[in-house]
Amino acid sequence: MFSYRHAFHAGNHADVLKHTVLLAVLRHMTQKDTALNVFDTHAGAGLYRLDGDFAKTSEEAAEGFLKLVATKPATPFAPALQDYVDMVAGFNSTNHWSVYPGSPFIIQSLLRDRDKLKLFELHPTDTKTLMANIAQLEAGRQVAILREDGFEGLKKFLPPPSRRALVLCDPSYEVKNDYARVTAMVADAMVRFATGTYAVWYPIIPRPEAHDLPKKLKTLANKSGKSWLHATLTVKSSKLLQDAEGEVVRPGLPASGMFLINPPHTLKAALKDALPQMVELLKQDANATSTLESGG
């Protein structure tokens, strides 16, 4: 269970989608004066080097964030996408993209003094790195790091004292039962705190569990009478390929999705402009596309 390291995938096309959505949600939620509690159930290391050994091994950022900023779009970036690019730029020197902020640093950069962030991470190495990275912020008691299972650890914090919360859940899904655990966690959380905003990232891969997850989350939202939003980004076909020797070549992650329950009312319009640009700038073949639906 400790094989997954997000450092190999930092800044890939899935991060572009996930972090554009995350930033747009936080921009809206931090406009209200009441304190906000944010929970990141699978925090990772928090900060990543795009010029480091992990990132260079996979070079996924080259088809994700780095491709986004290297391509001149036909029209200016949509506001949500420009905000995302500007946010990452804040962690780097001018036009030199060596650092990529994970969700803990994106979240913390928007928090106000009264807001709180709790980060869950189980991987022993990533937890140490996360602690060292967060220590640089000198954020004090605003940010808490918990080396425990985020699926279970979340329970004791809901409902939060301020009755305002965002939960980001983006496990690796390398363990097959992560899909079922996500659904169970959101179902439990909504019983404890029905008005929280829940944001779930998931991979879109040829696996029944991956296709069933958004359906199950939609059913949960509808049964609870809550609004929901579902955005997906596909950059290439998921079909297996063959190399010159006839060996099967796996295509890597072809697509991913974000499913939100109780999303900000401003999010759909923001993504309606941003998603087509992601497709245009990150596409790897003719199968690239995006979807955006909402309900409730």
Side-chain angles (χ1 to χ4, degrees):
M1 68 179 293
F2 291 140
S3 63
Y4 181 85
R5 306 290 299 280
H6 192 69
F8 287 107
H9 313 286
N12 67 0
H13 61 84
D15 270 0
V16 174
L17 173 65
K18 175 171 62 181
H19 292 150
T20 299
V21 171
L22 175 62
L23 195 58
V25 170
L26 283 166
R27 287 286 183 210
H28 181 84
M29 294 189 78
T30 51
Q31 286 177 11
K32 195 171 183 178
D33 286 342
T34 314
L36 178 66
N37 294 265
V38 186
F39 303 92
D40 189 342
T41 63
H42 296 77
L47 208 58
Y48 305 95
R49 298 289 307 190
L50 293 182
D51 54 0
D53 291 341
F54 288 126
K56 283 187 173 179
T57 299
S58 64
E59 294 194 320
E60 288 187 26
E63 292 288 352
F65 177 77
L66 295 177
K67 187 174 182 179
L68 187 75
V69 294
T71 311
K72 294 295 180 187
T75 55
F77 282 134
L81 206 50
Q82 185 64 60
D83 193 24
Y84 162 66
V85 171
D86 290 344
M87 183 274 305
V88 180
F91 290 86
N92 292 273
S93 55
T94 307
N95 294 325
H96 181 67
W97 307 102
S98 58
V99 176
Y100 188 83
S103 48
F105 273 70
I106 294 172
I107 295 165
Q108 196 279 331
S109 70
L110 266 71
L111 295 187
R112 305 150 307 172
D113 291 344
R114 55 193 172 280
D115 301 327
K116 301 285 186 186
L117 170 60
K118 289 186 170 50
L119 304 170
F120 298 91
E121 180 52 52
L122 264 179
H123 194 290
T125 307
D126 278 356
T127 303
K128 283 183 183 177
T129 306
L130 179 64
M131 286 179 169
N133 285 334
I134 292 294
Q136 297 176 50
L137 294 173
E138 298 182 350
R141 297 170 71 178
Q142 183 185 55
V143 182
I145 300 169
L146 301 99
R147 191 182 163 189
E148 57 185 273
D149 180 352
F151 289 125
E152 289 296 319
L154 177 67
K155 293 178 180 179
K156 59 180 173 283
F157 295 110
L158 298 180
S162 69
R163 299 283 166 164
R164 294 190 70 232
L166 166 64
V167 176
L168 173 66
C169 181
D170 62 337
S172 68
Y173 297 95
E174 285 209 334
V175 182
K176 196 174 177 181
N177 72 345
D178 274 358
Y179 295 94
R181 295 195 74 195
V182 168
T183 308
M185 184 205 79
V186 174
D188 177 82
M190 289 184 68
V191 171
R192 295 171 189 270
F193 185 49
T195 56
T197 295
Y198 300 95
V200 173
W201 174 87
Y202 71 98
I204 299 176
I205 53 177
R207 187 177 228 177
E209 297 88 350
H211 291 274
D212 288 343
L213 179 58
K215 295 174 187 174
K216 289 180 177 179
L217 293 174
K218 190 186 299 184
T219 299
L220 265 177
N222 288 335
K223 281 186 176 178
S224 304
K226 300 299 180 183
S227 60
W228 56 270
L229 182 144
H230 184 209
T232 70
L233 173 65
T234 300
V235 298
K236 61 182 175 180
S237 168
S238 62
K239 289 181 180 176
L240 297 177
L241 305 172
Q242 284 188 331
D243 62 17
E245 284 75 43
E247 295 292 320
V248 173
V249 179
R250 295 192 175 276
L253 182 66
S256 66
M258 286 289 285
F259 195 98
L260 293 97
I261 297 176
N262 293 326
H265 66 88
T266 51
L267 185 60
K268 187 173 184 180
L271 294 180
K272 194 174 180 180
D273 292 335
L275 281 169
Q277 283 191 320
M278 292 184 201
V279 174
E280 175 197 341
L281 299 172
L282 300 179
K283 63 185 176 186
Q284 295 181 35
D285 65 25
N287 295 280
T289 189
S290 64
T291 65
L292 181 62
E293 57 176 343
S294 61

